[in-house]
Amino acid sequence: MVPPSVESLIVTLKDNNSNVRRFATEALGEIGDPRAIEPLVTALQDEDSEVRGAAAEALDKLGWKPESKEMEAIYLIAKQEWERCVEIGAPAVEPLIAALKDKNELVRKAAAEALGKIGDPQAVEPLIDVFKEIEGYTGEAEIEALVKIGAPAVEPLIAALKAEDSRVRWGAARALGKIGESRAVEALIATLRDKNGFVRRAAAEALGEIGDVRAVEPLIDVLKYDLYDDVRKAAAEALHQLGWEGFKEHSHAT
């Protein structure tokens, strides 16, 4: 059987089947023809994480070296060497932001963690946008990344409390609580009246974490008037954190 030519393998890098693309990258690495370098560099940004990893390994065999820090970050993301991305710093931010939309959940989480460690405010809005996509996982990596970025994330998160998507409002409330910034208190108090119960619960929890006494009366109103047990319980716990003794009586009642 005649082995496939370099030219045909390069064409195969655009196949619709990710397994076929991965085979092509591996084969090109074994053949070692320098004509494959440019197409393999392109494959470092393939939509499939296994294809990207295979392309990075093939480029290693071909002796390729990145020509810029940003390209090095793309290469390291393909190899899933996240700490080295963090070491690169600012030039890695854009490639890591792109990785927040990866099909592989583990890649998305690792990219968020790396962005948090770098701490560049440029990552705030993309991290908030991820909450729109959350299905079946908690978004903890994105929340923790926003917490690590800290103060620069506060105003965008406050604005996100008014987002149309309830998942964005929920994520923003959770992140603001963990950051613990008093600038967010008034906006979170307003969010106690959100139409979505999960968002109201997150706002109550956040106010408890921040610990600002301005939240006491609004949280008492939640105890009196909110229709959902989970929201009232979150308000009671927040009031406990704020030192309000009346939470005990209400906790027993619910």
Side-chain angles (χ1 to χ4, degrees), residues 111-142:
E113 290 170 2
L115 286 166
K117 290 177 181 178
I118 294 171
D120 192 314
Q122 183 180 339
V124 170
E125 294 289 355
L127 284 164
I128 292 172
D129 284 344
V130 171
F131 294 123
K132 297 176 185 177
E133 311 300 328
I134 289 175
E135 294 288 352
Y137 80 104
T138 62
E140 290 300 327
E142 290 76 19

mmCIF file of all heavy atoms in Angstrom, residues 111-142:
data_model
loop_
_atom_site.group_PDB
_atom_site.id
_atom_site.type_symbol
_atom_site.label_atom_id
_atom_site.label_comp_id
_atom_site.label_asym_id
_atom_site.label_seq_id
_atom_site.Cartn_x
_atom_site.Cartn_y
_atom_site.Cartn_z
ATOM 1 N N ALA A 111 -8.494 27.443 31.122
ATOM 2 C CA ALA A 111 -8.252 28.773 30.558
ATOM 3 C C ALA A 111 -8.728 29.858 31.521
ATOM 4 O O ALA A 111 -8.036 30.873 31.720
ATOM 5 C CB ALA A 111 -8.954 28.913 29.209
ATOM 6 N N ALA A 112 -9.894 29.647 32.131
ATOM 7 C CA ALA A 112 -10.404 30.618 33.106
ATOM 8 C C ALA A 112 -9.455 30.736 34.293
ATOM 9 O O ALA A 112 -9.147 31.845 34.756
ATOM 10 C CB ALA A 112 -11.794 30.202 33.572
ATOM 11 N N GLU A 113 -8.986 29.605 34.789
ATOM 12 C CA GLU A 113 -8.054 29.628 35.920
ATOM 13 C C GLU A 113 -6.777 30.381 35.573
ATOM 14 O O GLU A 113 -6.260 31.166 36.373
ATOM 15 C CB GLU A 113 -7.738 28.196 36.355
ATOM 16 C CG GLU A 113 -8.912 27.495 37.023
ATOM 17 C CD GLU A 113 -8.669 26.006 37.223
ATOM 18 O OE1 GLU A 113 -7.564 25.529 36.881
ATOM 19 O OE2 GLU A 113 -9.588 25.324 37.723
ATOM 20 N N ALA A 114 -6.267 30.149 34.369
ATOM 21 C CA ALA A 114 -5.051 30.836 33.935
ATOM 22 C C ALA A 114 -5.284 32.340 33.824
ATOM 23 O O ALA A 114 -4.438 33.141 34.241
ATOM 24 C CB ALA A 114 -4.572 30.269 32.600
ATOM 25 N N LEU A 115 -6.436 32.738 33.305
ATOM 26 C CA LEU A 115 -6.755 34.163 33.192
ATOM 27 C C LEU A 115 -6.847 34.807 34.573
ATOM 28 O O LEU A 115 -6.411 35.949 34.772
ATOM 29 C CB LEU A 115 -8.057 34.359 32.419
ATOM 30 C CG LEU A 115 -7.950 34.127 30.913
ATOM 31 C CD1 LEU A 115 -9.331 34.016 30.285
ATOM 32 C CD2 LEU A 115 -7.157 35.248 30.237
ATOM 33 N N GLY A 116 -7.403 34.082 35.532
ATOM 34 C CA GLY A 116 -7.467 34.609 36.889
ATOM 35 C C GLY A 116 -6.083 34.824 37.470
ATOM 36 O O GLY A 116 -5.817 35.831 38.146
ATOM 37 N N LYS A 117 -5.187 33.893 37.220
ATOM 38 C CA LYS A 117 -3.820 34.013 37.737
ATOM 39 C C LYS A 117 -3.071 35.167 37.077
ATOM 40 O O LYS A 117 -2.281 35.852 37.736
ATOM 41 C CB LYS A 117 -3.070 32.698 37.532
ATOM 42 C CG LYS A 117 -3.578 31.564 38.420
ATOM 43 C CD LYS A 117 -2.854 30.261 38.121
ATOM 44 C CE LYS A 117 -3.387 29.129 38.990
ATOM 45 N NZ LYS A 117 -2.726 27.834 38.680
ATOM 46 N N ILE A 118 -3.308 35.382 35.791
ATOM 47 C CA ILE A 118 -2.667 36.504 35.106
ATOM 48 C C ILE A 118 -3.232 37.830 35.621
ATOM 49 O O ILE A 118 -2.502 38.802 35.806
ATOM 50 C CB ILE A 118 -2.829 36.384 33.584
ATOM 51 C CG1 ILE A 118 -2.048 35.163 33.072
ATOM 52 C CG2 ILE A 118 -2.342 37.652 32.876
ATOM 53 C CD1 ILE A 118 -2.314 34.831 31.616
ATOM 54 N N GLY A 119 -4.551 37.852 35.835
ATOM 55 C CA GLY A 119 -5.183 39.023 36.442
ATOM 56 C C GLY A 119 -5.370 40.218 35.537
ATOM 57 O O GLY A 119 -5.529 41.343 36.012
ATOM 58 N N ASP A 120 -5.415 40.026 34.245
ATOM 59 C CA ASP A 120 -5.560 41.129 33.301
ATOM 60 C C ASP A 120 -7.041 41.532 33.205
ATOM 61 O O ASP A 120 -7.896 40.695 32.899
ATOM 62 C CB ASP A 120 -5.046 40.700 31.923
ATOM 63 C CG ASP A 120 -4.885 41.867 30.976
ATOM 64 O OD1 ASP A 120 -5.804 42.704 30.890
ATOM 65 O OD2 ASP A 120 -3.831 41.955 30.325
ATOM 66 N N PRO A 121 -7.376 42.818 33.443
ATOM 67 C CA PRO A 121 -8.782 43.258 33.365
ATOM 68 C C PRO A 121 -9.430 43.005 32.013
ATOM 69 O O PRO A 121 -10.656 42.965 31.914
ATOM 70 C CB PRO A 121 -8.686 44.767 33.659
ATOM 71 C CG PRO A 121 -7.422 44.934 34.426
ATOM 72 C CD PRO A 121 -6.481 43.897 33.866
ATOM 73 N N GLN A 122 -8.633 42.859 30.980
ATOM 74 C CA GLN A 122 -9.148 42.578 29.642
ATOM 75 C C GLN A 122 -9.993 41.304 29.613
ATOM 76 O O GLN A 122 -10.855 41.141 28.757
ATOM 77 C CB GLN A 122 -7.955 42.442 28.692
ATOM 78 C CG GLN A 122 -8.273 42.223 27.248
ATOM 79 C CD GLN A 122 -7.016 42.092 26.395
ATOM 80 O OE1 GLN A 122 -5.943 42.542 26.792
ATOM 81 N NE2 GLN A 122 -7.144 41.470 25.251
ATOM 82 N N ALA A 123 -9.750 40.412 30.575
ATOM 83 C CA ALA A 123 -10.461 39.134 30.595
ATOM 84 C C ALA A 123 -11.821 39.210 31.280
ATOM 85 O O ALA A 123 -12.597 38.250 31.208
ATOM 86 C CB ALA A 123 -9.603 38.088 31.309
ATOM 87 N N VAL A 124 -12.140 40.346 31.925
ATOM 88 C CA VAL A 124 -13.355 40.417 32.739
ATOM 89 C C VAL A 124 -14.613 40.181 31.917
ATOM 90 O O VAL A 124 -15.438 39.304 32.243
ATOM 91 C CB VAL A 124 -13.432 41.767 33.482
ATOM 92 C CG1 VAL A 124 -14.807 41.938 34.139
ATOM 93 C CG2 VAL A 124 -12.333 41.852 34.541
ATOM 94 N N GLU A 125 -14.816 40.966 30.875
ATOM 95 C CA GLU A 125 -16.049 40.828 30.077
ATOM 96 C C GLU A 125 -16.177 39.442 29.453
ATOM 97 O O GLU A 125 -17.256 38.832 29.499
ATOM 98 C CB GLU A 125 -16.105 41.917 29.004
ATOM 99 C CG GLU A 125 -16.234 43.335 29.558
ATOM 100 C CD GLU A 125 -17.613 43.622 30.154
ATOM 101 O OE1 GLU A 125 -18.503 42.763 30.050
ATOM 102 O OE2 GLU A 125 -17.773 44.711 30.714
ATOM 103 N N PRO A 126 -15.103 38.884 28.858
ATOM 104 C CA PRO A 126 -15.226 37.522 28.328
ATOM 105 C C PRO A 126 -15.570 36.489 29.400
ATOM 106 O O PRO A 126 -16.323 35.551 29.133
ATOM 107 C CB PRO A 126 -13.837 37.253 27.729
ATOM 108 C CG PRO A 126 -13.308 38.596 27.382
ATOM 109 C CD PRO A 126 -13.807 39.500 28.466
ATOM 110 N N LEU A 127 -15.030 36.646 30.598
ATOM 111 C CA LEU A 127 -15.357 35.715 31.679
ATOM 112 C C LEU A 127 -16.824 35.845 32.074
ATOM 113 O O LEU A 127 -17.492 34.842 32.346
ATOM 114 C CB LEU A 127 -14.462 35.972 32.890
ATOM 115 C CG LEU A 127 -13.022 35.461 32.770
ATOM 116 C CD1 LEU A 127 -12.138 36.103 33.825
ATOM 117 C CD2 LEU A 127 -12.962 33.942 32.883
ATOM 118 N N ILE A 128 -17.337 37.056 32.099
ATOM 119 C CA ILE A 128 -18.753 37.254 32.409
ATOM 120 C C ILE A 128 -19.621 36.644 31.313
ATOM 121 O O ILE A 128 -20.652 36.005 31.592
ATOM 122 C CB ILE A 128 -19.062 38.756 32.580
ATOM 123 C CG1 ILE A 128 -18.375 39.305 33.843
ATOM 124 C CG2 ILE A 128 -20.567 38.998 32.665
ATOM 125 C CD1 ILE A 128 -18.450 40.816 33.994
ATOM 126 N N ASP A 129 -19.209 36.809 30.066
ATOM 127 C CA ASP A 129 -19.987 36.264 28.939
ATOM 128 C C ASP A 129 -20.126 34.749 29.009
ATOM 129 O O ASP A 129 -21.097 34.185 28.500
ATOM 130 C CB ASP A 129 -19.327 36.643 27.607
ATOM 131 C CG ASP A 129 -19.568 38.098 27.241
ATOM 132 O OD1 ASP A 129 -20.473 38.727 27.823
ATOM 133 O OD2 ASP A 129 -18.840 38.616 26.371
ATOM 134 N N VAL A 130 -19.154 34.088 29.642
ATOM 135 C CA VAL A 130 -19.207 32.623 29.735
ATOM 136 C C VAL A 130 -20.462 32.164 30.466
ATOM 137 O O VAL A 130 -20.995 31.084 30.178
ATOM 138 C CB VAL A 130 -17.941 32.082 30.436
ATOM 139 C CG1 VAL A 130 -18.076 30.594 30.737
ATOM 140 C CG2 VAL A 130 -16.720 32.313 29.555
ATOM 141 N N PHE A 131 -20.985 32.985 31.388
ATOM 142 C CA PHE A 131 -22.167 32.567 32.143
ATOM 143 C C PHE A 131 -23.366 32.315 31.235
ATOM 144 O O PHE A 131 -24.261 31.541 31.578
ATOM 145 C CB PHE A 131 -22.518 33.603 33.209
ATOM 146 C CG PHE A 131 -21.489 33.721 34.292
ATOM 147 C CD1 PHE A 131 -20.886 34.932 34.569
ATOM 148 C CD2 PHE A 131 -21.106 32.610 35.027
ATOM 149 C CE1 PHE A 131 -19.924 35.047 35.568
ATOM 150 C CE2 PHE A 131 -20.139 32.710 36.020
ATOM 151 C CZ PHE A 131 -19.554 33.932 36.290
ATOM 152 N N LYS A 132 -23.388 32.956 30.059
ATOM 153 C CA LYS A 132 -24.474 32.709 29.105
ATOM 154 C C LYS A 132 -24.455 31.272 28.601
ATOM 155 O O LYS A 132 -25.483 30.736 28.188
ATOM 156 C CB LYS A 132 -24.338 33.646 27.900
ATOM 157 C CG LYS A 132 -24.454 35.115 28.222
ATOM 158 C CD LYS A 132 -24.205 35.943 26.968
ATOM 159 C CE LYS A 132 -24.194 37.427 27.278
ATOM 160 N NZ LYS A 132 -23.872 38.244 26.089
ATOM 161 N N GLU A 133 -23.277 30.672 28.607
ATOM 162 C CA GLU A 133 -23.102 29.344 28.014
ATOM 163 C C GLU A 133 -23.213 28.221 29.033
ATOM 164 O O GLU A 133 -23.176 27.052 28.673
ATOM 165 C CB GLU A 133 -21.733 29.263 27.340
ATOM 166 C CG GLU A 133 -21.406 30.423 26.402
ATOM 167 C CD GLU A 133 -22.400 30.526 25.259
ATOM 168 O OE1 GLU A 133 -22.911 29.477 24.829
ATOM 169 O OE2 GLU A 133 -22.664 31.660 24.808
ATOM 170 N N ILE A 134 -23.311 28.566 30.319
ATOM 171 C CA ILE A 134 -23.239 27.536 31.359
ATOM 172 C C ILE A 134 -24.434 26.593 31.266
ATOM 173 O O ILE A 134 -25.576 26.988 31.397
ATOM 174 C CB ILE A 134 -23.162 28.169 32.757
ATOM 175 C CG1 ILE A 134 -21.798 28.820 32.953
ATOM 176 C CG2 ILE A 134 -23.409 27.128 33.846
ATOM 177 C CD1 ILE A 134 -21.652 29.570 34.252
ATOM 178 N N GLU A 135 -24.140 25.332 31.026
ATOM 179 C CA GLU A 135 -25.154 24.271 31.015
ATOM 180 C C GLU A 135 -24.541 23.061 31.707
ATOM 181 O O GLU A 135 -23.578 22.480 31.210
ATOM 182 C CB GLU A 135 -25.553 23.894 29.580
ATOM 183 C CG GLU A 135 -26.282 25.003 28.824
ATOM 184 C CD GLU A 135 -27.688 25.226 29.307
ATOM 185 O OE1 GLU A 135 -28.173 24.422 30.127
ATOM 186 O OE2 GLU A 135 -28.304 26.223 28.886
ATOM 187 N N GLY A 136 -25.044 22.706 32.863
ATOM 188 C CA GLY A 136 -24.614 21.464 33.500
ATOM 189 C C GLY A 136 -23.357 21.563 34.350
ATOM 190 O O GLY A 136 -22.870 20.561 34.842
ATOM 191 N N TYR A 137 -22.806 22.773 34.519
ATOM 192 C CA TYR A 137 -21.713 22.918 35.482
ATOM 193 C C TYR A 137 -21.826 24.283 36.152
ATOM 194 O O TYR A 137 -22.621 25.122 35.755
ATOM 195 C CB TYR A 137 -20.342 22.692 34.838
ATOM 196 C CG TYR A 137 -19.749 23.838 34.065
ATOM 197 C CD1 TYR A 137 -18.730 24.604 34.601
ATOM 198 C CD2 TYR A 137 -20.192 24.130 32.779
ATOM 199 C CE1 TYR A 137 -18.173 25.647 33.887
ATOM 200 C CE2 TYR A 137 -19.633 25.173 32.060
ATOM 201 C CZ TYR A 137 -18.630 25.924 32.615
ATOM 202 O OH TYR A 137 -18.089 26.950 31.905
ATOM 203 N N THR A 138 -21.079 24.499 37.201
ATOM 204 C CA THR A 138 -21.364 25.598 38.109
ATOM 205 C C THR A 138 -20.735 26.929 37.747
ATOM 206 O O THR A 138 -21.102 27.951 38.310
ATOM 207 C CB THR A 138 -20.886 25.235 39.532
ATOM 208 O OG1 THR A 138 -19.464 25.027 39.502
ATOM 209 C CG2 THR A 138 -21.568 23.971 40.031
ATOM 210 N N GLY A 139 -19.783 26.951 36.858
ATOM 211 C CA GLY A 139 -19.122 28.195 36.540
ATOM 212 C C GLY A 139 -18.128 28.646 37.591
ATOM 213 O O GLY A 139 -17.699 29.803 37.599
ATOM 214 N N GLU A 140 -17.750 27.732 38.472
ATOM 215 C CA GLU A 140 -16.852 28.109 39.573
ATOM 216 C C GLU A 140 -15.510 28.622 39.069
ATOM 217 O O GLU A 140 -14.935 29.538 39.663
ATOM 218 C CB GLU A 140 -16.636 26.923 40.512
ATOM 219 C CG GLU A 140 -17.855 26.552 41.335
ATOM 220 C CD GLU A 140 -18.325 27.678 42.233
ATOM 221 O OE1 GLU A 140 -17.483 28.457 42.724
ATOM 222 O OE2 GLU A 140 -19.545 27.785 42.440
ATOM 223 N N ALA A 141 -14.981 28.042 38.005
ATOM 224 C CA ALA A 141 -13.671 28.480 37.502
ATOM 225 C C ALA A 141 -13.733 29.932 37.043
ATOM 226 O O ALA A 141 -12.812 30.717 37.310
ATOM 227 C CB ALA A 141 -13.207 27.579 36.357
ATOM 228 N N GLU A 142 -14.816 30.315 36.362
ATOM 229 C CA GLU A 142 -14.962 31.687 35.905
ATOM 230 C C GLU A 142 -15.163 32.638 37.085
ATOM 231 O O GLU A 142 -14.602 33.744 37.103
ATOM 232 C CB GLU A 142 -16.145 31.789 34.937
ATOM 233 C CG GLU A 142 -15.918 31.129 33.597
ATOM 234 C CD GLU A 142 -16.010 29.606 33.638
ATOM 235 O OE1 GLU A 142 -16.595 29.060 34.592
ATOM 236 O OE2 GLU A 142 -15.484 28.975 32.711
#
